[in-house]
Amino acid sequence: MSEKNLSVKLKTWIELDREAARHNVKTFRDLIGKRTRLWAVVKSNAYGHGLYAWSDLMNKCRIDGFCVDSVVEGIKLRGLGIKKPILVIGPTVPAGFADAAKHKVTVSIGSVAELHGLGGPNESPVFHLKVDTGMHRRGILPEELSVAIKFLKKNPQLKKKFEGVFTHFAAAKDVYYPAYTERQLKVFNSVIARLAHAGFKRLIRHAAATGGTLLGKKYHLDAVRVGIGLYGLWPSPELELQLAERISLRPVLSWHSVVSEVKHIPRGALVGYDLTERTGRDTKIAIIPIGYWHGFPRSLSSIGMVLIHGKPARVLGRVSMDIIVVDVTDVPVAPYDRVTLIGQNGREEILARDIALRGGTTHYEFLTRLNPLIERVLR
């Protein structure tokens, strides 16, 4: 066993590349200019990158604010020492409003019912109103806006807590097909005009996530909410194809494990649960101590790939809860050698997008399902 192998302390870990993160922040700063705020979307455990590690890194990269899914996540960031604005973009139950106000976490209101549930002025947090401009998910419909305006005018203490208005684009994924995004922006601008006419003239306006930010400046408004792009990944293959020559994004996350055991099994041997795979030759196998509990999906059974010493090794049989078996017949391997599940190993690289597609999902889902207990290491 090599000296390098003896230094292994973890059986699986996730690495975050500081320089790649800084590069991505600069890329989006250059795109939006100085007048637009850059908010980092760190919901869902920072898309699998680790809420604490990633948010601390983004704070040091001088991000203007953070977007989370819940008040709980916002309070955790305050506990980390982050003082910048934090916006909850998911719904908040009424019982959470007092905690949001106490910790200066801004909430989003997506319906008249939520607006009525804000409570008294001392318990009410600062809030942004979310408008449904055509995605038909969360958000107040434009035809309900007059009811919301009337309610706020009758409650001047709540009116003072009304800080921003936003929407979310449903299909900002292609430079050449912006029609629906244009339609949503038109509806949103009409809502802003109605709010201004009602006396709400200094609201923070925001609509663009990563896709909208990449599409063009008209969508940037006062702030952009960038998630997948800051992690160095594209929101759609269309935008990558259209923009990658002039916009550079660098993946931040890599995921690694180790070989825990190497053994030889004969041709015709059955591998794993349910005996779903039979070897077609005398086979050298490596046991890797990760599985679907860690975030390596069961859908990658018999088709997933890992890298060892820069060479691909295919998953044999079922992905178990905590273990996968890979074919290393043609790979020089020893116990405790590094295994790469996402990222670069030698001259080869496994992209989150590619492994997600192989497993029948998207890189969004694949990354957010990486187990939050796996240690995140900055490098």
Side-chain angles (χ1 to χ4, degrees):
M1 187 185 301
S2 70
E3 183 179 346
K4 181 179 179 180
N5 288 351
L6 284 170
S7 68
V8 171
K9 295 181 180 179
L10 300 170
K11 66 180 183 180
T12 187
W13 68 97
I14 286 169
E15 295 182 0
L16 304 179
D17 186 332
R18 285 190 181 94
E19 288 305 312
R22 294 187 186 107
H23 168 85
N24 297 334
V25 170
K26 183 179 185 303
T27 294
F28 282 96
R29 284 286 190 201
D30 292 343
L31 278 175
I32 65 176
K34 295 181 179 179
R35 294 186 178 182
T36 300
R37 303 171 210 192
L38 179 57
W39 291 342
V41 181
V42 298
K43 65 177 182 173
S44 304
N45 198 35
Y47 290 39
H49 291 62
L51 179 65
Y52 290 129
W54 179 257
S55 298
D56 183 53
L57 178 56
M58 287 294 97
N59 197 39
K60 291 173 180 175
C61 288
R62 301 176 70 181
I63 288 294
D64 299 310
F66 295 84
C67 295
V68 296
D69 182 61
S70 68
V71 173
V72 171
E73 288 178 334
I75 292 173
K76 288 183 180 296
L77 293 191
R78 291 289 183 237
L80 190 62
I82 289 175
K83 302 184 185 301
K84 292 174 182 175
I86 298 172
L87 171 65
V88 177
I89 53 179
T92 300
V93 297
F97 288 144
D99 283 340
K102 178 181 177 182
H103 294 277
K104 297 182 178 180
V105 173
T106 303
V107 301
S108 61
I109 298 298
S111 69
V112 172
E114 286 184 31
L115 193 60
H116 280 260
L118 273 173
N122 294 327
E123 296 179 349
S124 298
V126 172
F127 68 92
H128 289 203
L129 189 67
K130 183 171 187 181
V131 182
D132 181 355
T133 58
M135 189 167 185
H136 297 138
R137 199 174 59 173
R138 183 169 181 258
I140 190 169
L141 292 167
E143 53 265 34
E144 299 174 313
L145 187 64
S146 58
V147 178
I149 290 172
K150 185 177 180 180
F151 178 78
L152 288 170
K153 284 188 170 182
K154 286 184 176 181
N155 293 271
Q157 294 302 316
L158 286 182
K159 181 179 177 181
K160 293 178 181 178
K161 302 291 182 75
F162 184 19
E163 180 188 67
V165 58
F166 71 109
T167 193
H168 191 65
F169 295 136
K173 300 291 177 71
D174 192 320
V175 169
Y176 300 116
Y177 295 95
Y180 202 77
T181 303
E182 288 288 316
R183 176 179 169 183
Q184 285 191 264
L185 183 63
K186 183 178 180 180
V187 173
F188 187 53
N189 284 334
S190 70
V191 167
I192 292 168
R194 289 172 62 189
L195 287 167
H197 182 73
F200 302 99
K201 297 180 179 180
R202 296 185 178 180
L203 298 173
I204 301 170
R205 307 159 303 150
H206 50 109
T210 299
T213 304
L214 292 169
L215 283 182
K217 287 187 176 295
K218 70 167 73 174
Y219 307 110
H220 296 170
L221 305 177
D222 299 316
V224 293
R225 310 180 304 268
V226 182
I228 200 77
L230 288 179
Y231 303 110
L233 303 169
W234 293 87
S236 70
E238 293 86 355
L239 286 175
E240 182 174 10
L241 181 65
Q242 294 156 2
L243 301 175
E245 286 189 4
R246 62 183 181 87
I247 296 175
S248 169
L249 298 178
R250 298 181 187 171
V252 172
L253 179 147
S254 59
W255 181 20
H256 306 279
S257 185
V258 295
V259 173
S260 62
E261 185 179 348
V262 180
K263 64 176 71 174
H264 292 81
I265 57 177
R267 177 183 179 181
L270 297 164
V271 181
Y273 279 123
D274 306 320
L275 312 177
T276 54
E277 184 149 357
R278 185 187 299 270
T279 58
R281 61 177 178 174
D282 291 346
T283 304
K284 181 172 65 172
I285 62 173
I287 315 304
I288 316 299
I290 59 93
Y292 56 76
W293 182 81
H294 299 86
F296 195 88
R298 196 168 183 265
S299 60
L300 290 174
S301 296
S302 293
I303 59 172
M305 303 290 292
V306 303
L307 295 174
I308 305 174
H309 295 301
K311 296 182 179 296
R314 181 177 67 86
V315 174
L316 294 175
R318 290 268 194 253
V319 173
S320 302
M321 187 180 294
D322 301 288
I323 284 176
I324 59 173
V325 177
V326 299
D327 184 344
V328 291
T329 305
D330 302 315
V331 181
V333 62
Y336 310 113
D337 281 349
R338 175 186 286 229
V339 177
T340 297
L341 305 140
I342 304 173
Q344 192 161 359
N345 186 304
R347 295 183 178 181
E348 296 292 326
E349 184 176 15
I350 294 177
L351 299 174
R353 175 197 62 198
D354 294 339
I355 195 170
L357 286 173
R358 187 181 286 260
T361 185
T362 69
H363 51 311
Y364 287 87
E365 181 180 8
F366 180 71
L367 289 172
T368 56
R369 289 191 171 190
L370 293 177
N371 195 305
L373 296 181
I374 298 174
E375 186 166 342
R376 272 69 175 170
V377 180
L378 291 169
R379 62 176 176 85

